[in-house]
Amino acid sequence: MAPVTFKALMVEEADQGRFTRRIVERSTTDLPPGDVLVRVAYSSINYKDVLSATGNRGVTRRYPHTPGIDAAGVVEESDSERFHPGDAVIVTSYDLGMNTAGGFGQFIRVPAEWVVPLPAGLTLRESMIYGTAGFTAALSILALVENGLTPAAGEVLVSGATGGVGGLAVAMLSNIGFRVAAINGHVDQSGYLGQLGAGRIIAPEEAIDGSGRALLKAVWAGSVDSVGGEVLATTLKSTAPYGVVTCCGNAASAELPINVYPFILRGVRLIGIDSQNCPMPLRRKAWEMIAGAWKVKQAEAMVEEVPLAGLDEAIEKMVARRRKGRTIINLQQ
Ligand SMILES: NC(=O)c1ccc[n+]([C@@H]2O[C@H](COP(=O)([O-])OP(=O)(O)OC[C@H]3O[C@@H](n4cnc5c(N)ncnc54)[C@H](OP(=O)(O)O)[C@@H]3O)[C@@H](O)[C@H]2O)c1
């Protein structure tokens, strides 16, 4: 294929520590080597994209850079026997959008090992309503159910529920019959959380115990946590014997101020979730669950769609915690 010119968001370091963002024209010849060239239809904004878009060198070492850890689109060129021009595909995580030009551009070029065929049951647009956030929620729920949690065990607590991972976890869990309690955000979103399927709303201050006790009343059968810190510590101390808690994020804090008592006196299991290096068989299983039994009927209530031209403002809203749910980017507008 002859080189194609396309649009992408570019993050540049203007001077020491100050970063700017603008839409630029690039060529497919600027993209890194790889087996599969994808024309991106949709991307989405995840927490990690905001870090990359604001100059966080823990996520992106080198600038100028195009973030976007999620992309869904159509194969334009392929050196891999597994993919052919016209195939609809999803690419999330690995190094996409971190140090490899990501889904905030109209084309990406990636290794074939990073590419997942779009599962039957999802459109490209729908797949990005989930994106890495929904994939991580699905990995978390797989961990709960594969460790024996059933709806009969009791209520499941979801933190970060106004965000992407948490919101999709609330919706998926409630759709498959779990009773869900959701921790509200810093702005009241109880109506929205109820719409997603939360049966009980927990105020942020209620989610953090100030007593300093090693164990609290056992309330939760399990939990999906994406905020870490005092919230996760309080959740673990409040989890019923043999309950299961997943941990994927640090939106509040990377610290975990807790001792061993929930683990040695109640057999509570804390399971780490890492979407980035998730092996391909588990990756495909999670996407199949998302496209099938766990497909969320509340998805449209969670999503705001913006064109590439609206991406900069959408990133600012996420930095300022002025949004809820998921933001997807229509790259072809
Ligand atoms: N391990 C993995 O593979 C993986 C994959 C995806 C995401 N993550 C991590 O999961 C976390 C959430 O990601 P996301 O994409 O869902 O982000 P998001 O859409 O921005 O949602 C963040 C959520 O955290 C809440 N929050 C933010 N700061 C907080 C604080 N100081 N205290 C308590 N709650 C706070 C927000 O509540 P408000 O409504 O109050 O703002 C919102 O509910 C991030 O840490 C991200 O890095 C990890």
Side-chain angles (χ1 to χ4, degrees):
M1 189 176 105
V4 176
T5 303
F6 67 92
K7 290 198 175 76
L9 182 87
M10 191 64 81
V11 183
E12 292 157 314
E13 186 162 17
D15 45 50
Q16 201 66 32
R18 195 172 65 84
F19 290 82
T20 58
R21 294 186 294 269
R22 65 193 173 106
I23 305 294
V24 298
E25 290 224 324
R26 303 205 79 197
S27 163
T28 46
T29 55
D30 300 331
L31 292 173
D35 316 300
V36 186
L37 179 71
V38 178
R39 183 188 293 270
V40 181
Y42 286 92
S43 181
S44 82
I45 312 181
N46 294 278
Y47 198 86
K48 209 185 243 178
D49 297 317
V50 172
L51 298 177
S52 175
T54 51
N56 184 307
R57 285 215 151 82
V59 176
T60 299
R61 286 189 302 279
R62 289 179 303 279
Y63 293 88
H65 171 66
T66 296
I69 65 170
D70 286 345
V74 174
V75 173
E76 284 282 332
E77 265 181 2
S78 171
D79 293 333
S80 160
E81 286 180 358
R82 289 175 44 227
F83 298 101
H84 302 98
D87 288 352
V89 295
I90 302 172
V91 186
T92 67
S93 55
Y94 298 103
D95 192 50
L96 187 72
M98 294 182 68
N99 291 291
T100 300
F104 293 174
Q106 291 172 318
F107 280 87
I108 56 170
R109 190 183 284 116
V110 293
E113 297 73 46
W114 297 4
V115 182
V116 176
L118 182 75
L122 281 184
T123 63
L124 290 171
R125 181 179 181 279
E126 283 174 332
S127 74
M128 289 293 101
I129 299 178
Y130 297 90
T132 291
F135 175 60
T136 305
L139 289 178
S140 305
I141 296 170
L142 276 172
L144 298 186
V145 299
E146 286 177 356
N147 280 282
L149 205 70
T150 64
E155 209 171 9
V156 176
L157 179 68
V158 178
S159 67
T162 50
V165 176
L168 284 157
V170 169
M172 287 183 203
L173 283 164
S174 72
N175 286 354
I176 57 175
F178 283 91
R179 279 190 294 126
V180 183
I183 301 176
N184 213 338
H186 69 293
V187 174
D188 180 23
Q189 296 288 0
S190 43
Y192 164 73
L193 295 172
Q195 207 182 345
L196 294 189
R200 186 150 70 107
I201 309 296
I202 308 293
E205 57 278 13
E206 270 182 79
I208 295 181
D209 171 62
S211 74
R213 286 163 55 203
L215 284 174
L216 301 166
K217 185 176 169 203
V219 183
W220 313 117
S223 174
V224 173
D225 181 80
S226 58
V227 304
E230 298 280 357
V231 172
L232 177 56
T234 301
T235 301
L236 288 163
K237 293 180 195 180
S238 314
T239 298
Y242 288 88
V244 192
V245 177
T246 62
C247 157
C248 75
N250 59 353
S253 168
E255 301 303 318
L256 184 54
I258 194 164
N259 59 36
V260 299
Y261 289 118
F263 311 112
I264 67 173
L265 296 182
R266 287 185 178 161
V268 169
R269 284 157 295 167
L270 175 60
I271 298 174
I273 302 296
D274 168 25
S275 61
Q276 191 181 353
N277 302 300
C278 174
M280 192 48 86
L282 179 56
R283 188 173 288 270
R284 291 178 81 140
K285 180 171 182 184
W287 277 111
E288 274 158 27
M289 297 312 289
I290 289 170
W294 295 354
K295 190 168 178 185
V296 158
K297 57 181 184 285
Q298 307 90 323
E300 286 303 325
M302 296 190 66
V303 67
E304 180 186 5
E305 179 174 327
V306 297
L308 190 53
L311 177 54
D312 186 56
E313 191 187 340
I315 290 169
E316 279 306 318
K317 273 170 82 175
M318 196 147 162
V319 170
R321 293 171 68 185
R322 280 192 288 112
R323 57 120 228 183
K324 62 180 187 322
R326 296 277 295 148
T327 304
I328 59 171
I329 303 111
N330 184 336
L331 274 300
Q332 299 305 325
Q333 263 186 1

